[in-house]
């Protein structure tokens, strides 16, 4: 079913008719730079879309477990070396990151106010930067590089020294399914927020990723590093504990 999470009536109708036992919420406006030019859409999708999803779940008697997938950028980023732990404050400098912090706060409020009383497990998953097939969004490092090589173009690199907790998509997905299983079985300690990221020594810089791809593509990655001061703010250091 194709719809819009901003449309509460249609979303609720669709969920009620589907009668799911498990819901994994992954609908989002997922791009940092896009959020600077489209903040209203970003907040409507990532905050009210989450509210609408929870309202739809509460209106559906069959639901036993709900997982809200947010992001590692939901934390108040202090540009520090050590990774963020699950209990640390939500925040976010840009509208995307901030909207996901808001989505986490919404999740906490709905868990305490409604889901716990109904015996429905509600958790959130904060994943590091995910790479893998199928992601062709703009402003993502590896898709941008692949497009540039394929089209014999130069790729523009904004923050070559920034570090991120990159991981292959199947790693967090496997974690999500384990988390949902615990929620479904009503195991204690599962209805809360969880980080999904690589070991800290697997975090690496944008520059490292470029050089790695260049190695395997025989130097075909043609790139230009631009002054990041000319661009909207993006975090330099980010890792998860």
């Amino acid at each position: 079913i194709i719809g819009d999470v901003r449309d509460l009536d249609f979303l609720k109708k669709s969920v009620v008719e589907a009668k799911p036992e498990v819901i994994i919420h992954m609908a989002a406006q997922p791009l940092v730079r896009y959020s600077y030019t489209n903040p209203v859409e970003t907040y409507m999708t990532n905050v009210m879309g989450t509210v609408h999803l929870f309202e739809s779940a509460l209106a559906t008697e069959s639901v036993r477990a709900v997982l809200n997938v947010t992001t590692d950028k939901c934390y108040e980023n202090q540009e520090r070396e050590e990774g963020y732990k699950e209990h640390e404050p939500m925040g976010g400098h840009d509208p995307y990151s901030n909207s996901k912090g808001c989505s986490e706060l919404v999740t906490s409020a709905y868990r305490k106010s409604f889901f716990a009383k109904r015996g429905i497990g509600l958790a959130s998953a904060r994943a590091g930067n995910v790479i893998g097939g199928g992601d062709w969004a703009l402003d993502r490092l590896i898709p941008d590089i692949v497009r540039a090589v394929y089209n014999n173009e130069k790729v523009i690199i904004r923050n070559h020294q920034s570090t991120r907790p990159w991981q292959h998509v199947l790693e967090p997905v496997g974690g999500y399914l384990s988390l949902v299983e615990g929620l479904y079985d009503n195991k204690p300690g599962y209805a809360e927020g969880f980080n999904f990221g690589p070991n800290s020594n697997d975090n690496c810089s944008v520059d490292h990723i470029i050089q790695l791809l260049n190695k395997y593509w025989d130097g075909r990655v043609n790139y230009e590093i631009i002054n990041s001061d000319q661009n909207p703010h993006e975090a330099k250091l980010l890792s998860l504990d």
Side-chain angles (χ1 to χ4, degrees):
I1 299 170
I2 296 175
D4 191 329
V5 292
R6 293 173 295 181
D7 185 342
L8 173 59
D9 292 338
F10 183 78
L11 180 61
K12 184 181 292 186
K13 178 176 180 291
S14 300
V15 173
V16 169
E17 290 180 352
K19 299 179 182 179
E21 293 178 279
V22 173
I23 298 174
I24 301 179
H25 176 43
M26 302 179 77
Q29 191 299 95
L31 302 173
V32 171
R33 295 218 305 166
Y34 184 92
S35 75
Y36 279 108
T37 54
N38 298 276
V40 174
E41 177 189 344
T42 299
Y43 280 102
M44 285 293 293
T45 303
N46 295 350
V47 182
M48 290 310 300
T50 300
V51 172
H52 293 169
L53 187 280
F54 291 163
E55 286 292 317
S56 301
L58 290 169
T60 308
E61 292 184 3
S62 57
V63 173
R64 289 179 54 175
V66 179
L67 176 61
N68 179 23
V69 177
T70 61
T71 177
D72 55 354
K73 297 175 182 64
C74 66
Y75 294 103
E76 185 65 50
N77 194 329
Q78 304 296 324
E79 299 282 352
R80 69 189 196 196
E81 293 284 347
E82 63 268 28
Y84 294 94
K85 298 180 180 180
E86 283 88 346
H87 67 271
E88 298 200 60
M90 297 293 105
H93 182 284
D94 58 90
Y96 166 72
S97 303
N98 187 268
S99 71
K100 285 297 193 173
C102 293
S103 179
E104 284 281 353
L105 295 175
V106 167
T107 304
S108 177
Y110 265 79
R111 179 191 301 118
K112 296 171 183 175
S113 300
F114 307 112
F115 281 78
K117 296 175 182 178
R118 289 272 300 273
I120 301 172
L122 173 60
S124 61
R126 305 153 188 176
N129 288 48
V130 174
I131 60 176
D135 180 6
W136 291 104
L138 296 174
D139 290 334
R140 295 208 197 278
L141 179 63
I142 293 178
D144 284 353
I145 292 174
V146 173
R147 272 188 293 264
V149 171
Y150 183 79
N151 295 315
N152 196 29
E153 296 173 348
K154 181 183 293 184
V155 62
I156 301 300
I157 302 298
R158 301 186 304 279
N159 303 294
H160 70 109
Q161 294 180 326
S162 295
T163 62
R164 292 291 185 271
W166 274 289
Q167 58 188 327
H168 190 268
V169 61
L170 294 183
E171 298 294 341
V173 166
Y176 300 162
L177 295 178
S178 296
L179 176 51
V180 164
E181 184 177 9
L183 288 172
Y184 186 87
D185 292 337
N186 201 26
K187 294 179 180 178
Y190 279 76
E192 54 187 75
F194 286 86
N195 285 341
F196 291 88
N199 293 325
S200 58
N201 58 0
D202 286 331
N203 288 347
C204 58
S205 67
V206 167
D207 191 61
H208 178 82
I209 296 289
I210 295 170
Q211 301 311 319
L212 190 65
L213 293 177
N214 228 353
K215 173 185 174 182
Y216 286 103
W217 280 338
D218 300 322
R220 292 170 55 204
V221 178
N222 183 15
Y223 65 97
E224 176 184 353
I225 298 172
I226 62 172
N227 186 352
S228 60
D229 293 339
Q230 301 170 1
N231 295 290
H233 175 273
E234 293 180 84
K236 299 290 190 296
L237 297 174
L238 181 59
S239 64
L240 295 175
D241 187 316

